[in-house]
Amino acid sequence: MEDVSDILDPLNEAQREAVAAPPGRTLVLAGAGSGKTRVLVHRAAWLNRVEGASPFTLMAVTFTNKAAAEMRGRIETLLGFSAAGMWTGTFHGLSHRLLRRHWREAGLTESFQILDSDDQKRLLRRVMRLLEIDEARFPPRQVQGYINSRKDDGQRPDDLGEGADPHTDRMIRIYRAYQEACERTGQVDFAELLLRSFELLRDNASLRNHYREQFRHVLVDEFQDTNGIQYAWLRMLAGPEADLFVVGDDDQSIYGWRGARVENIRRLTDDYPDVRVFRLEQNYRSTATILKAANALIDNNSGRMGKNLWTDGEDGEAIMLYAAFNDLDEARFVVDRLREAIADGHARSELAILYRSNAQSRLFEEALLTHGIPYRVYGGLRFFERAEIKDALAYTRLVSNPQDDASFERVVNTPPRGIGGKTVDLIREQSRARRASLWDAAEQCLQERLLPGRAHNAVTQFLALIQALGEQVTDQPLAEAIDLVIKGSGLRELFARDRDDRGESRLENLDELVSAARGFEQDWEGDGEMDTLTAFLAHAALEGGEGQAQDWQDCVQLMTLHSAKGLEFPWVCLAGLEEGLFPHRMSAEDPDRLEEERRLCYVGITRARRRLLMTWAEKRRLHGEERWCAPSRFISELPDDLIHHVRTRVSVSRPAMAIRRGLAESHEMADSGFHLGQRVMHPKFGEGVVLQYEGQGPSARIQVNFDTVGAKWLVASYAKLQGA
DNA sequence: GGTAAAGTGTTCCGC
DNA sequence: ACACTTTACC
């Protein structure tokens, strides 16, 4: 018998049972901080050592490239040898791999390219212009969302019944035209990667059987984030006989808005009645106090699979709750606590401020700046999404394939070279009339002298430039090729010209692109399915650029709750716990979306290891307007005995507020007996905050934002309001 | 073809 | 309010 102590010993009882489950269908409900990745990694090792599964028969699927890389690394460490034969990657990455291998069977061109969402929107715009559809009535963003969700549900235009209503019919028409444009030009968007590879397996029995035979063991991470097509994809690949090992947490599903279906967890237990379910509830991260709060909060959600986090560690400190006078006061208070923590010897990188929306970072940044505390804000534009990088890549694509219309349009007048809108319109017109690419259309325009003299010269030069670059670049290594393109296209010069910080960082980014290409070239062993350039472009579309070295210098961490998922910090501040902000106004009405907000709060709480600080502001500037806020309902869902209320302002701030609001308002308020921002009690609606006041005497109306039912207008003389 | 003025949107952002 | 994009005009 193989010695498996190194695999099982580091695990607790529940983890061990899951890892050593017999091959079959296994669902592991892994609570926050319960060692989810560890279980996946050890399962892979177990399969290899005990079940004798060769790495070639293993597939591990995750959502992000970062998670995929981490899992792969940890498996290799544990196994002590390379897991090279193992297919590890994201749903999109693995689909991409299948499609490259079987592009013919999938009905694609050999050199198909991946459209990222910007490219997709640009192509969509073009298609809509051809169909003469008004962009104002059908915002491309919305159409894009429509098409992607249809694809996420596995639907093609032909699957969609027309005739329902004119609006939907038009959407379907655009979808069809867009899809035809993609097929014609050999372009594949993100959702298409999944749908296409799903269809490939569905419609091709021999391929399906081949891969089912090969991947007898399929491991899936963050299963609660899968959407419809990903679930179908998994079922197609992991046949009814496969060893399917799925890890997820329904309480941490926070991506419903981009198509994730928590229901997939429950669906799995329906679709595979023989599934074994394990629960990981012992938490190794947080204090008992923090876990109690998290459990109590999430208990307000319905239809959970059910889980209760516990720890054998200590209770730890109470959760600190601060009701700030306004958003500035909130930032000041938080940064004061941060400074204390730093003085107590915390590294800055152990401290995190989490918030619901990106805009909230600004005030914290300012407060941190005034105190000279280094910080880093996560969630800006990712490397390959930055304009200058996309320009450089578009040039590179165009140089290697002049028929690429999307790239042509992007760079034809960047840097400005005298090919304005009029000229491009003419070329587009020509391209449509002749059913030719923009490049070919431009050549025809020159030959037939369709352009005015000035434009004629400009276009001649542009075409010559691209051709010349094409010749220079032939047979050059990737990095040199990209460098040549950046210099030759005039992009470098363009950004060098504006010498502010902006231009400076753009130049740095361009340099970074060249080094990224060099690094990619070194790591990438050609597998005969793609040339280096194609591979690099796919890499740029799929990997976003997280691979950049993050200087993990010691700084305070600022990020949205969404980007905090999967991370942990000894010291966490959850800021902006107000009705309308968190839960967000857009989600408060719909019970499902409200539950997702609650899960987001749960994710936030469970990020904290030792200390948790929660704050809300009674008054906040939002979209340029001062608003009165009620504390988030999530606060009242936490057991009060876990909370330490900090009140530094109780008696002082309210009169101060009335003064700041200005005299006119306080007079009006005076004759109702209430003032703006005051907490009041209504016999039916419960407690709330006075938001606005209108009119005088018996017809005067008062707007109250109730904690449970939201904002309502009431006639002051009828509403039996009481000060609370 | 470049700058100024008007317009737009404003929750979360993986691949 | 603000940042960013598109349009309008010189």
Side-chain angles (χ1 to χ4, degrees):
Chain A
M1 178 73 187
E2 185 81 43
D3 176 25
V4 290
S5 56
D6 61 321
I7 296 178
L8 293 185
D9 285 357
L11 304 176
N12 68 33
E13 187 57 33
Q15 292 171 336
R16 204 174 298 153
E17 280 179 26
V19 163
R25 270 59 56 197
T26 308
L27 168 63
V28 181
L29 294 169
S34 66
K36 154 179 83 76
T37 311
R38 163 174 290 228
V39 164
L40 269 173
V41 167
H42 285 245
R43 172 67 171 185
W46 173 269
L47 289 173
N48 175 244
R49 296 260 288 279
V50 178
E51 302 291 337
S54 116
F56 290 93
T57 65
L58 288 169
M59 172 181 278
V61 198
T62 63
F63 264 85
T64 65
N65 289 294
K66 204 170 142 220
E70 191 194 338
M71 193 189 304
R72 190 184 192 89
R74 284 174 63 170
I75 290 174
E76 292 192 348
T77 310
L78 186 60
L79 283 178
F81 61 84
S82 155
M86 185 171 165
W87 280 39
T88 324
T90 62
F91 281 100
H92 293 87
L94 297 171
S95 298
H96 178 236
R97 206 164 158 182
L98 284 172
L99 293 179
R100 284 282 172 212
R101 275 202 175 173
H102 306 291
W103 56 271
R104 212 183 297 272
E105 295 92 323
L108 293 167
T109 56
E110 184 170 10
S111 57
F112 73 86
Q113 289 187 345
I114 300 173
L115 293 175
D116 69 16
S117 27
D118 271 7
D119 303 330
Q120 183 184 31
K121 189 149 56 181
R122 206 167 307 111
L123 176 55
L124 209 43
R125 274 227 170 79
R126 219 136 37 91
V127 168
M128 287 173 67
R129 243 178 271 140
L130 288 177
L131 293 176
E132 289 176 327
I133 287 170
D134 183 12
E135 288 194 9
R137 289 212 306 139
F138 292 82
R141 242 186 96 93
Q142 218 171 299
V143 181
Q144 185 182 23
Y146 172 83
I147 292 176
N148 288 338
S149 21
R150 295 289 74 74
K151 290 190 177 186
D152 284 349
D153 286 342
Q155 292 170 313
R156 294 295 186 187
D158 285 341
D159 301 324
L160 299 161
E162 287 185 50
D165 65 279
H167 191 270
T168 313
D169 281 355
R170 187 151 305 184
M171 287 289 202
I172 297 172
R173 254 182 61 216
I174 305 174
Y175 180 7
R176 183 168 280 125
Y178 163 78
Q179 196 56 40
E180 280 162 11
C182 286
E183 308 283 341
R184 220 179 15 252
T185 49
Q187 291 175 307
V188 172
D189 59 54
F190 286 141
E192 184 75 15
L193 285 172
L194 295 167
L195 181 50
R196 210 30 106 94
S197 58
F198 165 77
E199 289 168 346
L200 171 70
L201 295 174
R202 183 194 61 193
D203 301 336
N204 193 320
S206 68
L207 268 182
R208 181 170 68 241
N209 291 332
H210 171 265
Y211 282 107
R212 283 184 175 183
E213 187 62 30
Q214 176 177 352
F215 298 119
R216 266 164 299 186
H217 308 281
V218 179
L219 305 163
V220 189
D221 192 13
E222 304 277 21
F223 184 71
Q224 76 282 353
D225 289 337
T226 51
N227 63 28
I229 190 67
Q230 285 158 343
Y231 183 77
W233 187 95
L234 270 177
R235 289 203 65 191
M236 193 52 70
L237 198 68
E241 304 303 318
D243 173 40
L244 180 63
F245 192 86
V246 161
V247 180
D249 181 0
D250 53 329
D251 292 333
Q252 291 191 72
S253 162
I254 56 174
Y255 285 113
W257 53 274
R258 75 184 182 205
R261 303 272 177 86
V262 214
E263 314 88 83
N264 282 347
I265 295 193
R266 210 167 273 283
R267 213 172 136 194
L268 188 79
T269 59
D270 294 339
D271 287 345
Y272 296 99
D274 62 345
V275 67
R276 282 191 191 79
V277 180
F278 297 92
R279 283 183 169 73
L280 306 183
E281 300 176 290
Q282 183 173 5
N283 173 291
Y284 295 95
R285 180 185 294 156
S286 312
T287 63
T289 299
I290 290 168
L291 295 181
K292 273 183 215 156
N295 284 332
L297 177 88
I298 202 65
D299 197 40
N300 290 285
N301 274 4
S302 59
R304 298 171 55 220
M305 301 290 285
K307 244 185 308 84
N308 234 328
L309 297 178
W310 61 275
T311 175
D312 57 12
E314 55 198 38
D315 283 351
E317 290 174 57
I319 295 166
M320 195 189 286
L321 177 66
Y322 180 63
F325 157 55
N326 60 20
D327 43 4
L328 273 168
D329 179 44
E330 177 186 51
R332 177 199 56 77
F333 180 83
V334 172
V335 172
D336 281 350
R337 300 290 83 68
L338 280 167
R339 292 166 67 204
E340 285 173 10
I342 293 168
D344 284 350
H346 276 284
R348 288 186 286 266
S349 58
E350 294 179 341
L351 316 175
I353 305 175
L354 311 182
Y355 36 79
R356 177 64 177 86
S357 58
N358 278 310
Q360 287 170 258
S361 76
R362 206 191 92 247
L363 286 174
F364 292 108
E365 292 185 62
E366 281 172 13
L368 287 163
L369 271 172
T370 43
H371 289 286
I373 303 173
Y375 65 90
R376 158 173 256 121
V377 185
Y378 288 83
L381 265 194
R382 289 153 5 120
F383 186 67
F384 285 110
E385 281 165 356
R386 296 178 189 152
E388 62 275 18
I389 298 302
K390 302 202 65 161
D391 289 340
L393 289 178
Y395 265 110
T396 312
R397 271 202 296 228
L398 189 64
V399 164
S400 81
N401 171 24
Q403 308 298 314
D404 185 335
D405 285 357
S407 301
F408 185 98
E409 268 199 81
R410 183 171 184 107
V411 301
V412 65
N413 203 29
T414 323
R417 55 167 65 82
I419 307 177
K422 270 259 181 300
T423 312
V424 178
D425 275 350
L426 230 143
I427 297 174
R428 259 201 294 267
E429 189 57 41
Q430 187 72 5
S431 135
R432 177 158 67 146
R434 308 278 179 99
R435 302 194 159 280
S437 69
L438 291 171
W439 176 273
D440 294 343
E443 281 186 328
Q444 285 161 17
C445 286
L446 293 181
Q447 268 164 28
E448 293 166 32
R449 306 219 140 253
L450 296 173
L451 296 168
R454 216 182 140 103
H456 181 92
N457 294 335
V459 172
T460 310
Q461 279 188 21
F462 176 65
L463 297 188
L465 172 73
I466 299 297
Q467 265 169 348
L469 282 172
E471 282 159 26
Q472 280 181 57
V473 151
T474 318
D475 298 328
Q476 289 286 332
L478 180 65
E480 274 64 28
I482 291 179
D483 199 33
L484 279 170
V485 168
I486 292 173
K487 293 206 177 90
S489 62
L491 278 179
R492 178 170 291 280
E493 214 181 334
L494 172 72
F495 298 124
R497 222 180 307 138
D498 44 43
R499 266 214 281 283
D500 53 354
D501 300 350
R502 191 96 188 90
E504 191 75 25
S505 85
R506 287 183 154 157
L507 285 182
E508 281 170 22
N509 285 333
L510 288 176
D511 290 337
E512 184 58 35
L513 178 65
V514 177
S515 18
R518 186 160 293 129
F520 179 83
E521 225 172 348
Q522 274 158 16
D523 293 350
W524 194 73
E525 317 94 23
D527 60 1
E529 277 155 29
M530 273 183 278
D531 61 86
T532 321
L533 176 62
T534 310
F536 183 67
L537 292 173
H539 165 86
L542 283 171
E543 316 240 344
E546 286 306 318
Q548 268 192 116
Q550 291 281 10
D551 352 327
W552 266 96
Q553 63 154 323
D554 188 30
C555 51
V556 173
Q557 317 283 307
L558 272 67
M559 64 189 83
T560 64
L561 287 154
H562 283 89
S563 16
K565 187 172 166 220
L567 305 177
E568 60 173 50
F569 308 93
W571 193 107
V572 167
C573 170
L574 272 177
L577 281 152
E578 292 131 45
E579 284 296 305
L581 187 59
F582 189 28
H584 197 273
R585 194 180 304 86
M586 310 289 284
S587 304
E589 306 298 322
D590 177 350
D592 288 343
R593 297 175 66 175
L594 179 65
E595 295 209 341
E596 181 155 312
E597 296 278 318
R598 190 176 281 110
R599 292 193 291 267
L600 194 53
C601 187
Y602 175 81
V603 166
I605 292 173
T606 53
R607 294 316 92 195
R609 287 170 53 183
R610 321 291 318 166
R611 299 205 58 175
L612 181 59
L613 164 62
M614 296 182 154
T615 59
W616 67 281
E618 292 183 325
K619 197 167 74 169
R620 179 180 298 276
R621 241 188 143 70
L622 214 60
H623 311 310
E625 212 185 339
E626 295 237 292
R627 287 171 190 258
W628 290 95
C629 305
S632 168
R633 70 193 75 190
F634 300 148
I635 292 177
S636 59
E637 292 171 2
L638 306 176
D640 207 50
D641 58 311
L642 304 176
I643 293 177
H644 168 55
H645 297 262
V646 183
R647 295 184 198 283
T648 58
R649 34 115 232 142
V650 233
S651 54
V652 196
S653 63
R654 288 189 193 274
M657 291 191 304
I659 292 162
R660 286 183 175 218
R661 290 299 294 185
L663 287 169
E665 277 176 345
S666 21
H667 277 305
E668 285 180 357
M669 292 287 97
D671 63 57
S672 71
F674 301 110
H675 60 258
L676 294 182
Q678 184 182 359
R679 281 196 77 74
V680 293
M681 180 70 163
H682 185 274
K684 199 164 131 206
F685 302 128
E687 280 195 48
V689 177
V690 177
L691 291 180
Q692 280 188 69
Y693 193 85
E694 187 180 277
Q696 280 170 4
S699 64
R701 303 195 314 139
I702 184 168
Q703 192 188 25
V704 181
N705 189 18
F706 291 104
D707 298 354
T708 46
V709 292
K712 290 207 180 302
W713 279 101
L714 306 166
V715 176
S717 50
Y718 290 124
K720 298 186 187 74
L721 285 175
Q722 291 188 328

